[in-house]
Amino acid sequence: MGSTAAAVLERRTDEILTAYRATLHSTDSALLREEGSVDHYLTEARRVLAHVIAELHRGTYIPHGTDHLGTDSPDPGGPRTHPVESGRAATALFDAVLVVLMDEPESIRPRGAEAAVLFSLLHRQIVARHTARSVTHIGYLLERIRNAHNDERQRVARELHDEVAGHLGSALNWFELHEVYEQDCPELAREKLQAARTTVRESLSSLRDVMAGLRHRIDTASLRTALTQDLEGMGERAAEVRVTVTGDEAWLPPGAAEELFLIIREAQRNAVRHARAALVTVEVHVAPGEVRAAVEDDGVGFDLVATAPRGHGGMLSMRERAELLGGSVTVESQPGCGTRILVFVPLKGDASGDCT
């Protein structure tokens, strides 16, 4: 068999990449719409085509195994890719090749066994590369989760040390002074005893606050109640906040409910603390197959490019939590025009609340 397929791919590589780029830009994904990410995908697509062309020329049509496909791993400097996005990119490349090949005159178009070999090689290359990128992304997210757990433990340790342990240390000091003054200065001893009691009460109050922060409030309350309680815990605030939750929260699996709460809570807190807004609206709609939320404020806004919210810890955490659920977080903002954060999370299950 000749190398008609290889010749076609070589001649029309640029057209395939152009079609691939157009598909990536039209995909409903904030990640794929970023120019830097698209450039990385195009570079990788060119490598895939080059590898397939080389195998077609060599005649290595039926490899003895697929272990060798993992040796040419994706560029470590490339974009991390959620499996959902990776699947979209893989499908887009395969379709781009198919469309261009079908545009070839029938007389020179790869057919029969040659076409089967071409698409088999292409499929293996695409799957191997995008699987490797997805595994890298999942590993990154798992590392972020481990770091988040460590950070939370350190935060709790600091609060116990600074608030609870500090108060108990003071109370112990007052008790010891009470013993010192009990015989010679009973009035002063009573003052020290009262101070010790007051300090113990403060210690118990601080301990309750720490414990309340550790509870999964969303497990025992509705999403709206949990968000409202979080606002109350922030104390006095300049902005008016309106929280609306519609739909049946029974459609939310417990894990998704907790992550969704943390995402919306972060957006809500950012708006209240940093936007200098007069009004913040939080709207959440739960449907059998998805959750959509919007947190919008009329505050100062910011330049999305100049501020680079992807590098912001809170924004990065929100996006990664959403990605773990197969969803996304989109930010819309302009200086002086407020900010709008859109959250999308797909759900598995049916209207009976049987979510998995």
Side-chain angles (χ1 to χ4, degrees):
M1 182 172 64
S3 57
T4 302
V8 171
L9 286 182
E10 286 179 316
R11 177 164 48 84
R12 305 198 66 174
T13 291
D14 289 342
E15 293 178 61
I16 292 172
L17 295 178
T18 298
Y20 183 46
R21 175 189 284 273
T23 302
L24 292 180
H25 277 295
S26 66
T27 302
D28 184 21
S29 166
L31 179 63
L32 292 179
R33 285 197 298 267
E34 294 178 5
E35 187 62 32
S37 295
V38 173
D39 288 342
H40 279 291
Y41 286 127
L42 289 171
T43 299
E44 187 160 273
R46 187 179 292 277
R47 291 174 180 169
V48 167
L49 295 176
H51 191 105
V52 171
I53 291 169
E55 287 207 27
L56 287 171
H57 280 308
R58 287 195 300 266
T60 52
Y61 306 129
I62 305 178
H64 298 292
T66 57
D67 292 342
H68 67 285
L69 292 178
T71 59
D72 189 11
S73 59
D75 176 11
R80 292 178 292 101
T81 310
H82 189 279
V84 172
E85 307 300 344
S86 183
R88 290 177 177 175
T91 301
L93 178 56
F94 198 91
D95 289 347
V97 174
L98 180 61
V99 168
V100 171
L101 289 181
M102 292 302 294
D103 185 54
E104 284 286 296
E106 189 172 354
S107 60
I108 61 174
R109 183 189 307 162
R111 290 177 293 177
E114 186 178 15
V117 167
L118 164 62
F119 287 116
S120 176
L121 291 172
L122 182 66
H123 176 265
R124 288 199 303 273
Q125 274 293 308
I126 291 175
V127 169
R129 288 173 177 272
H130 284 278
T131 297
R133 191 175 294 290
S134 296
V135 169
T136 299
H137 178 76
I138 292 172
Y140 171 82
L141 292 178
L142 290 175
E143 182 62 25
R144 289 282 302 178
I145 291 173
R146 285 191 290 268
N147 290 339
H149 288 168
N150 289 334
D151 291 344
E152 182 66 8
R153 285 194 291 269
Q154 292 176 7
R155 181 190 67 80
V156 173
R158 284 195 301 270
E159 290 188 4
L160 289 174
H161 176 270
D162 296 343
E163 301 295 334
V164 181
H167 285 142
L168 289 177
S170 297
L172 178 61
N173 184 55
W174 297 130
F175 281 125
E176 291 174 346
L177 289 174
H178 168 263
E179 293 179 358
V180 171
Y181 295 124
E182 187 174 16
Q183 297 298 325
D184 299 330
C185 303
E187 184 65 28
L188 184 56
R190 282 193 294 272
E191 291 180 5
K192 302 303 180 185
L193 181 61
Q194 183 58 40
R197 289 170 175 167
T198 300
T199 306
V200 169
R201 293 191 187 99
E202 292 174 352
S203 178
L204 288 173
S205 177
S206 297
L207 183 59
R208 291 191 190 99
D209 289 341
V210 173
M211 293 172 63
L214 293 175
R215 293 192 184 102
H216 296 287
R217 288 167 291 179
I218 196 63
D219 291 343
T220 57
S222 70
L223 185 58
R224 184 184 185 284
T225 300
L227 291 170
T228 302
Q229 287 177 344
D230 184 71
L231 288 169
E232 293 171 351
M234 296 177 67
E236 293 294 327
R237 56 183 185 273
E240 176 187 358
V241 184
R242 300 173 184 170
V243 179
T244 303
V245 179
T246 58
D248 189 348
E249 292 188 38
W251 292 323
L252 286 171
E258 179 67 17
E259 292 300 314
L260 182 65
F261 164 70
L262 294 173
I263 294 168
I264 299 174
R265 183 186 70 172
E266 180 67 23
Q268 177 178 271
R269 287 182 172 184
N270 287 343
V272 171
R273 290 172 173 168
H274 307 303
R276 301 203 293 274
L279 175 64
V280 177
T281 59
V282 180
E283 297 179 351
V284 185
H285 179 64
V286 185
E290 65 179 27
V291 179
R292 292 188 180 272
V295 179
E296 188 170 2
D297 66 70
D298 60 358
V300 296
F302 59 91
D303 186 328
L304 288 171
V305 177
T307 307
R310 270 186 77 108
H312 186 276
M315 188 61 65
L316 183 63
S317 174
M318 290 165 56
R319 282 183 163 141
E320 289 173 345
R321 289 184 186 279
E323 288 175 4
L324 282 171
L325 299 174
S328 62
V329 172
T330 304
V331 182
E332 301 173 354
S333 187
Q334 293 181 8
C337 297
T339 299
R340 188 181 188 211
I341 296 178
L342 303 175
V343 181
F344 166 73
V345 173
L347 299 179
K348 296 180 180 179
D350 55 33
S352 67
D354 181 17
C355 299
T356 57

